[in-house]
């Protein structure tokens, strides 16, 4: 079953975060077990508030990814650029598809 983790966070340093994420994506390109899809959303009603959606093939894949030392290092770097605590929501995907 597909799994999505939603991470809510606030930052005034989004450009720096995006640079770190781009570099991590290049390092991890082609690596098995990482996210299969990602999306970054900006909250229109709350300045500096964002949501990151990360899709994985399964919950187990997501947990293996979380245990990876590179993921821990990236999370620490991103945390240093955040304001306050990040909020994690873990979701099993029950239905998905494009609407036309």
């Amino acid at each position: 079953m597909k799994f999505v983790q939603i991470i809510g966070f606030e930052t005034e340093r989004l450009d720096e975060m995006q640079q770190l994420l781009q570099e991590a994506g290049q390092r991890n390109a082609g690596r098995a077990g990482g996210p299969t899809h990602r999306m970054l959303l900006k909250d229109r009603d709350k300045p500096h508030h964002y949501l990151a959606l990360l899709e994985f093939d399964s919950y187990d894949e997501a947990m293996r990814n979380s245990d990876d030392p590179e993921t821990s290092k990236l999370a620490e770097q991103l945390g240093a650029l955040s304001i306050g605590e990040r909020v994690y929501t873990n979701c099993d995907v029950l239905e998905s598809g494009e609407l036309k």
Side-chain angles (χ1 to χ4, degrees):
M1 176 181 290
K2 295 251 184 208
F3 174 81
V4 172
Q5 185 171 65
I6 303 168
I7 306 166
F9 63 95
E10 292 189 24
T11 187
E12 294 177 345
R13 300 168 69 182
L14 184 63
D15 291 341
E16 292 172 73
M17 283 185 152
Q18 288 179 302
Q19 180 66 35
L20 283 172
L21 291 168
Q22 183 179 28
E23 291 168 2
Q26 290 170 350
R27 279 193 309 275
N28 295 323
R31 182 179 71 111
T36 58
H37 185 80
R38 66 184 176 122
M39 185 181 293
L40 179 62
L41 308 173
K42 182 179 186 336
D43 190 325
R44 294 181 71 129
D45 300 320
K46 297 179 189 173
H48 312 297
H49 186 252
Y50 301 88
L51 296 167
L53 285 73
L54 302 169
E55 181 180 292
F56 295 85
D57 282 332
S58 69
Y59 173 80
D60 292 336
E61 288 291 327
M63 293 305 99
R64 278 192 284 279
N65 184 70
S66 291
D67 290 339
D68 185 294
E70 284 293 316
T71 300
S72 298
K73 180 180 173 183
L74 178 61
E76 186 176 308
Q77 291 171 320
L78 294 172
L81 299 173
S82 297
I83 299 167
E85 296 294 316
R86 289 164 289 182
V87 176
Y88 292 84
T89 304
N90 298 307
C91 305
D92 291 324
V93 178
L94 300 179
E95 190 175 317
S96 177
E98 289 188 34
L99 301 174
K100 296 196 180 215

